[in-house]
mmCIF file of all heavy atoms in Angstrom:
data_model
loop_
_atom_site.group_PDB
_atom_site.id
_atom_site.type_symbol
_atom_site.label_atom_id
_atom_site.label_comp_id
_atom_site.label_asym_id
_atom_site.label_seq_id
_atom_site.Cartn_x
_atom_site.Cartn_y
_atom_site.Cartn_z
ATOM 1 N N LYS A 94 120.304 -8.633 67.919
ATOM 2 C CA LYS A 94 121.023 -8.751 66.648
ATOM 3 C C LYS A 94 122.361 -8.013 66.728
ATOM 4 O O LYS A 94 122.471 -6.986 67.393
ATOM 5 C CB LYS A 94 120.187 -8.162 65.510
ATOM 6 C CG LYS A 94 118.914 -8.935 65.206
ATOM 7 C CD LYS A 94 118.142 -8.272 64.073
ATOM 8 C CE LYS A 94 116.844 -9.007 63.779
ATOM 9 N NZ LYS A 94 116.060 -8.321 62.728
ATOM 10 N N TYR A 95 123.336 -8.558 66.036
ATOM 11 C CA TYR A 95 124.634 -7.880 65.964
ATOM 12 C C TYR A 95 125.302 -8.207 64.632
ATOM 13 O O TYR A 95 124.998 -9.229 63.993
ATOM 14 C CB TYR A 95 125.540 -8.285 67.129
ATOM 15 C CG TYR A 95 125.908 -9.749 67.151
ATOM 16 C CD1 TYR A 95 127.021 -10.221 66.444
ATOM 17 C CD2 TYR A 95 125.153 -10.659 67.873
ATOM 18 C CE1 TYR A 95 127.365 -11.556 66.459
ATOM 19 C CE2 TYR A 95 125.495 -11.991 67.895
ATOM 20 C CZ TYR A 95 126.590 -12.444 67.192
ATOM 21 O OH TYR A 95 126.921 -13.764 67.203
ATOM 22 N N GLU A 96 126.193 -7.339 64.222
ATOM 23 C CA GLU A 96 126.967 -7.534 62.996
ATOM 24 C C GLU A 96 128.428 -7.212 63.288
ATOM 25 O O GLU A 96 128.712 -6.276 64.038
ATOM 26 C CB GLU A 96 126.474 -6.629 61.867
ATOM 27 C CG GLU A 96 125.056 -6.907 61.413
ATOM 28 C CD GLU A 96 124.579 -5.918 60.357
ATOM 29 O OE1 GLU A 96 125.261 -4.888 60.163
ATOM 30 O OE2 GLU A 96 123.535 -6.182 59.747
ATOM 31 N N ILE A 97 129.319 -7.978 62.699
ATOM 32 C CA ILE A 97 130.755 -7.712 62.838
ATOM 33 C C ILE A 97 131.302 -7.352 61.463
ATOM 34 O O ILE A 97 131.300 -8.180 60.546
ATOM 35 C CB ILE A 97 131.488 -8.934 63.416
ATOM 36 C CG1 ILE A 97 130.957 -9.237 64.829
ATOM 37 C CG2 ILE A 97 132.997 -8.684 63.455
ATOM 38 C CD1 ILE A 97 131.449 -10.543 65.413
ATOM 39 N N ASP A 98 131.692 -6.113 61.330
ATOM 40 C CA ASP A 98 132.285 -5.640 60.085
ATOM 41 C C ASP A 98 133.779 -5.953 60.138
ATOM 42 O O ASP A 98 134.559 -5.214 60.751
ATOM 43 C CB ASP A 98 132.048 -4.133 59.930
ATOM 44 C CG ASP A 98 132.511 -3.598 58.588
ATOM 45 O OD1 ASP A 98 133.434 -4.191 58.000
ATOM 46 O OD2 ASP A 98 131.972 -2.572 58.132
ATOM 47 N N GLU A 99 134.169 -7.046 59.505
ATOM 48 C CA GLU A 99 135.558 -7.492 59.594
ATOM 49 C C GLU A 99 136.505 -6.584 58.817
ATOM 50 O O GLU A 99 137.684 -6.465 59.174
ATOM 51 C CB GLU A 99 135.668 -8.931 59.105
ATOM 52 C CG GLU A 99 134.886 -9.916 59.979
ATOM 53 C CD GLU A 99 135.304 -11.352 59.761
ATOM 54 O OE1 GLU A 99 136.490 -11.659 59.968
ATOM 55 O OE2 GLU A 99 134.434 -12.159 59.380
ATOM 56 N N GLU A 100 135.987 -5.946 57.784
ATOM 57 C CA GLU A 100 136.835 -5.049 56.995
ATOM 58 C C GLU A 100 137.236 -3.823 57.800
ATOM 59 O O GLU A 100 138.385 -3.367 57.755
ATOM 60 C CB GLU A 100 136.102 -4.624 55.720
ATOM 61 C CG GLU A 100 136.935 -3.746 54.793
ATOM 62 C CD GLU A 100 136.201 -3.378 53.521
ATOM 63 O OE1 GLU A 100 135.223 -4.050 53.164
ATOM 64 O OE2 GLU A 100 136.619 -2.394 52.881
ATOM 65 N N LYS A 101 136.292 -3.273 58.570
ATOM 66 C CA LYS A 101 136.552 -2.065 59.354
ATOM 67 C C LYS A 101 136.837 -2.371 60.822
ATOM 68 O O LYS A 101 137.127 -1.464 61.595
ATOM 69 C CB LYS A 101 135.362 -1.109 59.249
ATOM 70 C CG LYS A 101 135.103 -0.597 57.839
ATOM 71 C CD LYS A 101 133.922 0.351 57.817
ATOM 72 C CE LYS A 101 133.660 0.884 56.413
ATOM 73 N NZ LYS A 101 132.481 1.781 56.374
ATOM 74 N N SER A 102 136.720 -3.641 61.224
ATOM 75 C CA SER A 102 136.890 -4.045 62.631
ATOM 76 C C SER A 102 135.952 -3.269 63.548
ATOM 77 O O SER A 102 136.362 -2.598 64.503
ATOM 78 C CB SER A 102 138.354 -3.862 63.072
ATOM 79 O OG SER A 102 139.196 -4.729 62.374
ATOM 80 N N ILE A 103 134.659 -3.363 63.245
ATOM 81 C CA ILE A 103 133.625 -2.670 64.015
ATOM 82 C C ILE A 103 132.522 -3.660 64.388
ATOM 83 O O ILE A 103 132.081 -4.462 63.554
ATOM 84 C CB ILE A 103 133.025 -1.492 63.220
ATOM 85 C CG1 ILE A 103 134.053 -0.357 63.097
ATOM 86 C CG2 ILE A 103 131.742 -0.972 63.872
ATOM 87 C CD1 ILE A 103 133.595 0.810 62.239
ATOM 88 N N LEU A 104 132.091 -3.611 65.639
ATOM 89 C CA LEU A 104 130.952 -4.376 66.114
ATOM 90 C C LEU A 104 129.742 -3.451 66.180
ATOM 91 O O LEU A 104 129.793 -2.391 66.798
ATOM 92 C CB LEU A 104 131.231 -4.955 67.516
ATOM 93 C CG LEU A 104 130.026 -5.520 68.279
ATOM 94 C CD1 LEU A 104 129.521 -6.792 67.600
ATOM 95 C CD2 LEU A 104 130.381 -5.790 69.737
ATOM 96 N N ASN A 105 128.650 -3.838 65.537
ATOM 97 C CA ASN A 105 127.394 -3.079 65.561
ATOM 98 C C ASN A 105 126.342 -3.963 66.217
ATOM 99 O O ASN A 105 126.090 -5.073 65.733
ATOM 100 C CB ASN A 105 126.982 -2.713 64.137
ATOM 101 C CG ASN A 105 125.814 -1.728 64.099
ATOM 102 O OD1 ASN A 105 125.263 -1.390 65.134
ATOM 103 N ND2 ASN A 105 125.439 -1.310 62.914
ATOM 104 N N CYS A 106 125.738 -3.525 67.324
ATOM 105 C CA CYS A 106 124.813 -4.412 68.020
ATOM 106 C C CYS A 106 123.609 -3.674 68.610
ATOM 107 O O CYS A 106 123.662 -2.486 68.900
ATOM 108 C CB CYS A 106 125.538 -5.184 69.115
ATOM 109 S SG CYS A 106 126.475 -4.174 70.252
ATOM 110 N N GLU A 107 122.531 -4.439 68.766
ATOM 111 C CA GLU A 107 121.323 -3.904 69.383
ATOM 112 C C GLU A 107 121.475 -3.882 70.902
ATOM 113 O O GLU A 107 122.360 -4.529 71.475
ATOM 114 C CB GLU A 107 120.112 -4.752 68.989
ATOM 115 C CG GLU A 107 119.773 -4.668 67.503
ATOM 116 C CD GLU A 107 118.530 -5.437 67.111
ATOM 117 O OE1 GLU A 107 118.184 -6.422 67.822
ATOM 118 O OE2 GLU A 107 117.910 -5.085 66.098
ATOM 119 N N CYS A 108 120.558 -3.172 71.544
ATOM 120 C CA CYS A 108 120.669 -2.919 72.981
ATOM 121 C C CYS A 108 120.507 -4.162 73.846
ATOM 122 O O CYS A 108 120.941 -4.179 74.996
ATOM 123 C CB CYS A 108 119.647 -1.869 73.400
ATOM 124 S SG CYS A 108 117.954 -2.228 72.837
ATOM 125 N N GLY A 109 119.896 -5.233 73.295
ATOM 126 C CA GLY A 109 119.661 -6.426 74.103
ATOM 127 C C GLY A 109 120.693 -7.518 73.945
ATOM 128 O O GLY A 109 120.509 -8.631 74.461
#
Side-chain angles (χ1 to χ4, degrees):
K94 293 179 182 177
Y95 63 87
E96 296 176 347
I97 298 171
D98 186 333
E99 296 197 59
E100 183 178 341
K101 297 181 179 178
S102 294
I103 290 176
L104 167 69
N105 190 355
C106 52
E107 293 183 334
C108 51

